[in-house]
Every structure is written in C-alpha cells, then in structure tokens.
Amino acid sequence: MAVRPNIRGVVVTKRFFKDLKDEEKAKAIVRDVLDCSNADFYELHKFEKHLDGCMVFRAKTEGMHIVYCVDKDMRIIFMRVFKNFKEYEKFLDNKRELTKFIMRA
C-alpha cells in the first residue's frame, strides 16, 4: 500500500497476454490487481523479492500465479501467468529472466 500512491503507469507484456490466451480475462486480472479494495487483497499483492531496485510481487487468483513488479520508474509491469506452481517458482528463481522482462517493458 505504501507504493500505490507513487505508481505512474501500468505495462502489460505480450507474454502475459500469450500466457492467458484471453484478452478479456487478462484485462479483468489487471483491474483486480490494481483495485486495492478487493477482499482478497493479500492474495493479489504478495511481495516476493527485491531485484535490482524493483519489487517483485505475486497475485494468486483462480488457480493462477500472476507475476508482476514495480520497477524503478514506479510502473507496474505484468510479466507472466503460471498455472503450474513449479514453473512459477522456477521463474522467480531465474534472476536473469526476471531482469530481462523488466528491461524489455
């Protein structure tokens, strides 16, 4: 919540849309995460780690793990969606891939 007032923009990667395969569902998930009044607030805003000045978060909804971050420019970047928890963990542990997603946004 401390970061929320400073957010300057939202970026949704092409990979995020590709992972979901449903543009309307992707837009609904983005709206849910951005709307901090949701009853499942802690499921949608779980802090995972700091990565070179960026804060990486995880949202969990409908059995999916959504990885997003707040970068140094105070933008929210929606990076990936995983249905498999092991793949999600593997992605979070791969610092190089996380950094690549942030740099390309």
Side-chain angles (χ1 to χ4, degrees), residues 43-57:
E43 286 293 312
L44 295 176
H45 302 282
K46 182 176 183 279
F47 176 75
E48 291 292 340
K49 63 165 73 175
H50 280 281
L51 180 69
D52 300 327
C54 300
M55 295 172 283
V56 179
F57 293 87

Side-chain angles (χ1 to χ4, degrees), residues 87-101:
E87 289 178 21
Y88 154 74
E89 281 186 318
K90 190 175 174 183
F91 179 73
L92 275 185
D93 290 338
N94 190 339
K95 183 178 177 179
R96 176 185 273 173
E97 192 169 355
L98 278 170
T99 304
K100 180 175 74 171
F101 267 89

Side-chain angles (χ1 to χ4, degrees), residues 12-23 25-26 29 64-67 78-83 87 91 97 101:
V12 182
T13 64
K14 290 180 183 179
R15 182 60 195 225
F16 185 83
F17 284 114
K18 185 178 178 181
D19 287 343
L20 279 173
K21 298 179 179 106
D22 183 355
E23 191 169 330
K25 190 170 192 165
I29 289 172
M64 296 180 288
H65 302 276
I66 294 101
V67 180
F78 288 88
M79 297 185 283
R80 294 286 313 263
V81 176
F82 297 96
K83 293 181 180 165
E87 289 178 21
F91 179 73
E97 192 169 355
F101 267 89

